[in-house]
Coordinates of all heavy atoms in Angstrom, one line a residue:
A255 N -20.3 9.6 4.1 CA -20.0 9.6 2.7 C -21.1 10.1 1.8 O -20.8 10.4 0.6 CB -19.6 8.2 2.3
D256 N -22.2 10.3 2.3 CA -23.4 10.8 1.5 C -23.5 12.3 1.5 O -24.3 12.9 0.8 CB -24.7 10.3 2.1 CG -24.8 8.8 2.0 OD1 -24.2 8.2 1.0 OD2 -25.4 8.1 2.9
S257 N -22.6 13.0 2.3 CA -22.7 14.5 2.3 C -22.2 15.0 0.9 O -21.4 14.4 0.3 CB -21.8 15.1 3.4 OG -20.5 15.0 3.1
P258 N -22.8 16.2 0.5 CA -22.4 16.7 -0.8 C -20.9 17.0 -0.9 O -20.3 16.7 -2.0 CB -23.2 18.0 -0.9 CG -24.4 17.8 0.0 CD -23.9 16.9 1.1
V259 N -20.3 17.5 0.1 CA -18.9 17.8 0.1 C -18.1 16.5 0.0 O -17.1 16.4 -0.8 CB -18.4 18.6 1.3 CG1 -16.9 18.8 1.3 CG2 -19.1 19.9 1.4
A260 N -18.4 15.5 0.7 CA -17.7 14.2 0.6 C -17.8 13.6 -0.8 O -16.9 13.0 -1.3 CB -18.3 13.2 1.7
Q261 N -19.0 13.7 -1.4 CA -19.2 13.1 -2.7 C -18.3 13.9 -3.7 O -17.8 13.3 -4.7 CB -20.7 13.2 -3.1 CG -21.5 12.2 -2.3 CD -23.0 12.2 -2.6 OE1 -23.4 13.1 -3.4 NE2 -23.7 11.3 -2.1
Q262 N -18.2 15.2 -3.5 CA -17.4 16.0 -4.4 C -15.9 15.6 -4.3 O -15.2 15.5 -5.3 CB -17.6 17.5 -4.1 CG -16.8 18.4 -5.0 CD -17.0 19.9 -4.6 OE1 -17.7 20.2 -3.6 NE2 -16.5 20.8 -5.4
L263 N -15.5 15.5 -3.0 CA -14.1 15.1 -2.8 C -13.7 13.7 -3.3 O -12.6 13.5 -3.8 CB -13.7 15.2 -1.3 CG -13.9 16.5 -0.6 CD1 -13.6 16.4 0.9 CD2 -12.9 17.6 -1.3
A264 N -14.7 12.8 -3.3 CA -14.5 11.5 -3.8 C -14.2 11.4 -5.3 O -13.6 10.4 -5.8 CB -15.7 10.6 -3.4
K265 N -14.5 12.4 -6.0 CA -14.3 12.5 -7.4 C -12.9 13.0 -7.8 O -12.4 12.9 -8.9 CB -15.3 13.4 -8.1 CG -16.8 13.0 -7.9 CD -17.7 14.0 -8.5 CE -19.2 13.6 -8.3 NZ -20.1 14.6 -8.9
L266 N -12.1 13.5 -6.8 CA -10.8 14.0 -7.0 C -9.8 12.8 -7.2 O -9.8 11.9 -6.4 CB -10.3 14.8 -5.8 CG -11.1 16.1 -5.5 CD1 -10.6 16.7 -4.2 CD2 -11.0 17.1 -6.7
P267 N -9.0 12.9 -8.3 CA -8.0 11.8 -8.5 C -7.0 11.8 -7.4 O -6.5 12.8 -6.9 CB -7.3 12.3 -9.8 CG -8.3 13.2 -10.5 CD -9.0 13.9 -9.4
G268 N -6.7 10.6 -6.9 CA -5.8 10.4 -5.8 C -6.3 10.6 -4.4 O -5.6 10.5 -3.5
V269 N -7.6 10.8 -4.3 CA -8.3 11.0 -3.0 C -9.2 9.8 -2.7 O -10.1 9.5 -3.6 CB -9.1 12.3 -2.9 CG1 -9.8 12.4 -1.6 CG2 -8.1 13.5 -3.1
E270 N -9.1 9.2 -1.6 CA -10.0 8.2 -1.1 C -10.8 8.7 0.1 O -10.2 9.1 1.1 CB -9.3 6.9 -0.7 CG -10.2 5.8 -0.2 CD -9.5 4.6 0.3 OE1 -8.2 4.5 0.1 OE2 -10.1 3.7 0.8
V271 N -12.1 8.7 0.0 CA -12.9 9.2 1.1 C -13.2 8.0 2.0 O -13.7 7.0 1.5 CB -14.2 9.9 0.6 CG1 -15.2 10.2 1.8 CG2 -13.9 11.1 -0.2
V272 N -12.9 8.1 3.3 CA -13.1 7.0 4.2 C -14.0 7.5 5.4 O -13.8 8.6 5.9 CB -11.8 6.5 4.8 CG1 -12.0 5.5 5.9 CG2 -10.9 5.9 3.7
V273 N -15.0 6.8 5.7 CA -15.9 7.1 6.8 C -15.3 6.6 8.1 O -15.1 5.4 8.3 CB -17.3 6.5 6.7 CG1 -18.2 6.8 7.9 CG2 -18.0 7.0 5.4
Q274 N -14.9 7.5 9.0 CA -14.2 7.2 10.2 C -14.3 8.3 11.2 O -14.0 9.5 10.8 CB -12.7 6.8 10.0 CG -11.9 6.6 11.2 CD -12.3 5.4 12.0 OE1 -12.5 4.3 11.5 NE2 -12.3 5.6 13.3
N275 N -14.7 8.1 12.4 CA -14.6 9.1 13.5 C -13.2 9.2 14.0 O -12.6 8.3 14.6 CB -15.6 8.7 14.6 CG -15.7 9.7 15.7 OD1 -14.9 10.7 15.7 ND2 -16.7 9.6 16.6
W276 N -12.6 10.3 13.8 CA -11.2 10.5 14.0 C -10.8 10.3 15.5 O -9.7 9.8 15.8 CB -10.6 11.8 13.6 CG -11.1 13.0 14.3 CD1 -12.2 13.8 14.1 CD2 -10.5 13.6 15.5 NE1 -12.3 14.8 15.0 CE2 -11.2 14.7 15.9 CE3 -9.3 13.3 16.2 CZ2 -10.9 15.5 17.0 CZ3 -9.0 14.1 17.3 CH2 -9.8 15.2 17.7
V277 N -11.8 10.6 16.4 CA -11.4 10.4 17.8 C -11.3 9.0 18.2 O -10.8 8.7 19.4 CB -12.5 11.2 18.7 CG1 -12.6 12.6 18.3 CG2 -13.9 10.5 18.6
E278 N -11.7 8.1 17.4 CA -11.6 6.6 17.7 C -10.4 6.0 17.0 O -10.2 4.8 17.0 CB -12.8 5.9 17.3 CG -14.1 6.4 18.0 CD -14.1 6.3 19.5 OE1 -13.3 5.5 20.0 OE2 -14.8 7.1 20.1
I279 N -9.6 6.8 16.3 CA -8.4 6.3 15.5 C -7.3 5.8 16.5 O -7.0 6.5 17.5 CB -7.9 7.3 14.6 CG1 -8.8 7.4 13.4 CG2 -6.5 7.0 14.1 CD1 -8.4 8.5 12.4
T280 N -6.7 4.7 16.3 CA -5.7 4.1 17.1 C -4.4 4.1 16.3 O -4.3 4.3 15.1 CB -6.0 2.7 17.6 OG1 -6.1 1.9 16.4 CG2 -7.3 2.7 18.3
S281 N -3.3 3.7 17.0 CA -2.0 3.5 16.3 C -2.1 2.4 15.3 O -1.5 2.5 14.2 CB -0.9 3.2 17.4 OG -0.6 4.3 18.2
D282 N -2.8 1.4 15.7 CA -3.0 0.3 14.7 C -3.7 0.7 13.4 O -3.3 0.3 12.3 CB -3.8 -0.9 15.4 CG -3.0 -1.7 16.4 OD1 -1.7 -1.6 16.4 OD2 -3.6 -2.4 17.2
W283 N -4.7 1.5 13.6 CA -5.4 2.0 12.4 C -4.5 2.8 11.5 O -4.5 2.7 10.3 CB -6.6 2.9 12.9 CG -7.6 3.3 11.8 CD1 -8.8 2.7 11.5 CD2 -7.5 4.4 10.8 NE1 -9.4 3.3 10.4 CE2 -8.6 4.4 10.0 CE3 -6.5 5.3 10.6 CZ2 -8.8 5.3 9.0 CZ3 -6.7 6.2 9.6 CH2 -7.8 6.2 8.7
L284 N -3.7 3.7 12.1 CA -2.8 4.5 11.3 C -1.7 3.6 10.6 O -1.4 3.9 9.5 CB -2.1 5.5 12.3 CG -3.0 6.6 12.8 CD1 -2.3 7.4 14.0 CD2 -3.5 7.6 11.7
R285 N -1.2 2.6 11.3 CA -0.3 1.7 10.7 C -0.9 0.9 9.6 O -0.3 0.7 8.5 CB 0.3 0.8 11.8 CG 1.4 1.4 12.6 CD 2.2 0.4 13.4 NE 1.3 -0.2 14.5 CZ 1.3 0.3 15.7 NH1 2.1 1.2 16.1 NH2 0.5 -0.3 16.6
D286 N -2.1 0.4 9.8 CA -2.8 -0.4 8.8 C -3.0 0.4 7.5 O -3.1 -0.1 6.4 CB -4.1 -0.9 9.3 CG -4.0 -1.9 10.4 OD1 -2.9 -2.5 10.5 OD2 -5.0 -2.2 11.1
H287 N -3.2 1.8 7.7 CA -3.5 2.6 6.5 C -2.2 3.3 6.0 O -2.2 4.2 5.1 CB -4.5 3.7 6.8 CG -5.9 3.1 7.0 ND1 -6.3 2.4 8.1 CD2 -7.0 3.0 6.1 CE1 -7.6 2.0 8.0 NE2 -8.0 2.3 6.8
H288 N -1.0 2.9 6.6 CA 0.3 3.5 6.1 C 0.3 5.0 6.2 O 0.9 5.6 5.3 CB 0.6 2.9 4.7 CG 0.7 1.4 4.7 ND1 1.9 0.8 4.8 CD2 -0.2 0.5 4.5 CE1 1.7 -0.5 4.7 NE2 0.4 -0.7 4.5
V289 N -0.2 5.6 7.2 CA -0.3 7.0 7.4 C 1.1 7.5 7.8 O 1.7 7.1 8.8 CB -1.3 7.5 8.4 CG1 -1.3 9.0 8.6 CG2 -2.7 7.0 7.9
V290 N 1.6 8.5 7.0 CA 3.0 9.1 7.3 C 2.9 10.6 7.6 O 3.7 11.1 8.2 CB 4.0 8.8 6.2 CG1 4.3 7.3 6.0 CG2 3.5 9.4 4.8
R291 N 1.8 11.2 7.1 CA 1.6 12.6 7.4 C 0.1 12.8 7.7 O -0.8 12.1 7.1 CB 2.0 13.5 6.2 CG 3.5 13.4 5.9 CD 4.0 14.4 4.9 NE 5.4 14.2 4.6 CZ 6.2 15.1 3.9 NH1 5.6 16.2 3.4 NH2 7.5 14.9 3.7
V292 N -0.2 13.9 8.4 CA -1.6 14.1 8.9 C -1.9 15.6 8.9 O -1.1 16.4 9.3 CB -1.8 13.6 10.3 CG1 -3.2 14.0 10.8 CG2 -1.6 12.1 10.4

Side-chain angles (χ1 to χ4, degrees):
D256 296 327
S257 73
V259 177
Q261 292 179 353
Q262 182 181 6
L263 295 179
K265 298 176 183 177
L266 296 174
V269 173
E270 178 185 354
V271 173
V272 172
V273 177
Q274 171 67 46
N275 186 347
W276 71 269
V277 302
E278 304 300 336
I279 286 177
T280 63
S281 292
D282 286 342
W283 191 98
L284 293 168
R285 280 191 291 263
D286 289 344
H287 290 80
H288 298 267
V289 175
V290 295
R291 298 188 182 192
V292 174

